[in-house]
Amino acid sequence: MADEPIASLGNKTTIQAAATPYMDLLARKGRNGLLHTVPEGFAPGSEIANLSVMGYDVASVYEGRGVLEAASMGVDILPGEMGMRCNLICLDGDLLKNHSAGHISTPEAAELIRFLDDKLGNDVFSFYPGVSYRHLLKMKGGDKRLRCTPPHDIPEQPFRPHLIQPDSDEARPTAEALNRLIFTSQEILADHPINKKRIAEGKAPANSIWPWSPGFRPKMRPLNEMFLIQSGAVISAVDLIRGIGVYAGLEVIMVEGATGLYDTNYEGKAEAALKALKEKDFVYLHIEASDEAGHEGDAPLKVKTIEYLDARIVKTIYEETLQWDEPVTIAILPDHPTPCDIRTHTREPIPFLIYHRDIEPDSVQVYDEFAAKEGSYGLLYGDQFMKAVVGAAHDKR
Ligand SMILES: [Zn+2]
């Protein structure tokens, strides 16, 4: 939800423009600060930022998107195996038309991935279906020192210059095998009935695979070994976040109607979080809606998603847990900014608040990017945020 000042909002950020009485209340009763979530050398992606929020050292645990999504699909990446995100993409001759095969439906994609696994799967390669165009390719004995291009970075560009390149001599056989697999997939997908049907309907065919983001099994310690947390749960519509949760030792809770968009089931997610909190002592509740509105460049919609978060999640959780005998710490933060003006992620530190009934408040009166700068936590890095959350009950200045 973090942003930059926007001219059409009177030079306010989306958080400043949104009416957020409950987040403001918690900022006033709690303590505030900024958190650096994207370490140097990493692109500001959700997987990087969420790993940082949970207190992980990204440089030592990050193994690409594929293996994180594998965890949320229930696919184990074993020692000696490499996982890659495998997109179904649309080519038009030599051009990479789009990275999503026209946002192909999950059932159509699942049939194609099963077909690919049937024809091309063997002792080395196996394909696993995911959601829409996002799938998993597992390779036994692969070398991950590869240069791969995310297909969403090269729309309408020739694909051949962006085929997989080895970053070391030892990785050359892996790169060659993967590139052969890409070309073979093109041969056998061209005439598949699903693609013929899609073309007849004027839709983009899924006529190639595009593997990228290679990695091995992440060496992530569960959160209960890193912090004073016994048990926890994760609630998110996004498979990457759920996958991080799996490696973090959190129970994945699925909520019906959780879409990852502005129309998500806010009430259902708040209810699921409260229920989980009665049994566990940590819940990571993730709402994607504001990020998507930022990618759309839709400032009024983004403001609305922040108001929904305040009124339909924060209010519910604050008011309900106020009644509990066991006090609850509430921390609120985005993972990274997605400014509406540029429609993509940035690496600016994000504003956070931490509330506990016994915490000694700082002087901050509202929750936003500028007010948080004056907070008593200052600028935090690495696992300092999680330590602050866990220690909030005892935080006195
Ligand atoms: Zn995003």
Side-chain angles (χ1 to χ4, degrees):
M1 62 182 153
D3 213 302
E4 300 287 331
I6 297 174
S8 64
L9 298 177
N11 276 328
K12 289 180 174 173
T13 67
T14 42
I15 300 177
Q16 288 177 315
T20 55
Y22 285 86
M23 290 196 271
D24 293 342
L25 176 75
L26 298 186
R28 203 150 55 237
K29 287 173 165 262
R31 295 178 57 176
N32 301 264
L34 296 177
L35 175 64
H36 196 75
T37 57
V38 184
E40 285 310 317
F42 288 91
S46 295
E47 69 278 36
I48 301 299
N50 280 275
L51 281 167
S52 295
V53 171
M54 281 196 210
Y56 288 101
D57 173 30
V58 173
S60 60
V61 303
Y62 185 59
E63 289 284 339
R65 282 175 181 236
V67 295
L68 294 174
E69 289 172 342
S72 93
M73 292 175 188
V75 178
D76 223 0
I77 304 291
L78 303 171
E81 293 181 336
M82 180 171 86
M84 298 179 85
R85 155 66 86 77
C86 184
N87 282 42
L88 280 175
I89 63 167
C90 177
L91 299 178
D92 183 5
D94 270 353
L95 287 189
L96 193 150
K97 205 69 191 150
N98 63 59
H99 70 285
S100 64
H103 288 90
I104 185 167
S105 75
T106 299
E108 284 177 307
E111 194 174 329
L112 292 176
I113 292 294
R114 276 194 298 269
F115 171 74
L116 286 165
D117 193 53
D118 203 36
K119 299 286 178 202
L120 307 180
N122 51 33
D123 289 349
V124 178
F125 291 113
S126 32
F127 293 84
Y128 298 85
V131 177
S132 181
Y133 60 88
R134 305 186 297 272
H135 309 283
L136 174 72
L137 174 64
K138 205 158 85 164
M139 179 176 185
K140 274 204 188 102
D143 191 314
K144 70 173 182 178
R145 288 168 291 180
L146 303 171
R147 242 173 307 135
C148 302
T149 306
H152 51 259
D153 284 353
I154 47 167
E156 306 283 349
Q157 291 184 41
F159 75 90
R160 285 168 204 271
H162 298 287
L163 286 165
I164 297 170
Q165 302 289 329
D167 248 345
S168 79
D169 272 347
E170 293 95 319
R172 191 169 299 279
T174 300
E176 286 170 359
L178 286 164
N179 288 330
R180 271 199 306 276
L181 198 67
I182 291 174
F183 284 112
T184 318
S185 81
Q186 294 171 9
E187 282 165 26
I188 66 168
L189 286 171
D191 295 324
H192 192 280
I194 285 186
N195 278 332
K196 286 187 170 164
K197 183 161 169 275
R198 287 183 66 80
I199 292 166
E201 290 167 347
K203 294 177 183 164
N207 52 14
S208 182
I209 58 166
W210 193 267
W212 57 287
S213 205
F216 300 145
R217 186 188 176 82
K219 292 191 190 73
M220 286 168 64
R221 288 160 67 203
L223 290 180
N224 63 7
E225 289 180 12
M226 297 163 63
F227 305 103
L228 272 173
I229 289 171
Q230 283 174 20
S231 60
V234 61
I235 300 170
S236 173
V238 177
D239 32 19
L240 264 178
I241 310 294
R242 295 198 299 266
I244 291 173
V246 170
Y247 286 117
L250 305 177
E251 183 192 333
V252 176
I253 296 175
M254 300 298 280
V255 174
E256 210 163 308
T259 58
L261 299 172
Y262 73 93
D263 63 353
T264 195
N265 181 3
Y266 297 88
E267 286 75 13
K269 289 181 110 166
E271 226 169 84
L274 285 165
K275 186 161 170 270
L277 261 184
K278 292 207 164 150
E279 294 154 19
K280 304 183 185 296
D281 52 14
F282 176 77
V283 173
Y284 198 83
L285 173 57
H286 172 254
I287 310 278
E288 177 78 347
S290 306
D291 175 64
E292 289 295 336
H295 288 298
E296 296 293 317
D298 190 337
L301 181 64
K302 191 169 173 190
V303 168
K304 197 183 269 184
T305 63
I306 296 168
E307 292 180 343
Y308 285 161
L309 172 71
D310 193 76
R312 296 164 72 182
I313 300 265
V314 178
K315 173 180 192 277
T316 315
I317 290 175
Y318 169 66
E319 288 186 341
E320 168 74 21
T321 56
L322 210 52
Q323 326 273 337
W324 295 4
D325 293 335
E326 188 186 23
V328 170
T329 301
I330 302 175
I332 301 176
L333 74 169
D335 51 355
H336 52 70
T338 312
C340 291
D341 282 347
I342 59 166
R343 300 179 59 172
T344 188
H345 305 168
T346 66
R347 53 197 318 123
E348 291 301 303
I350 52 81
F352 71 86
L353 72 84
I354 298 176
Y355 160 83
H356 182 283
R357 71 175 188 201
D358 298 331
I359 203 168
E360 192 176 319
D362 57 22
S363 62
V364 172
Q365 297 296 304
V366 293
Y367 175 69
D368 68 50
E369 296 87 339
F370 295 97
K373 279 186 193 168
E374 309 303 322
S376 53
Y377 287 117
L379 176 60
L380 299 189
Y381 288 84
D383 61 2
Q384 291 173 323
F385 168 74
M386 277 296 286
K387 285 184 171 151
V389 172
V390 173
H394 315 289
D395 237 336
K396 313 278 185 227
R397 267 175 295 163

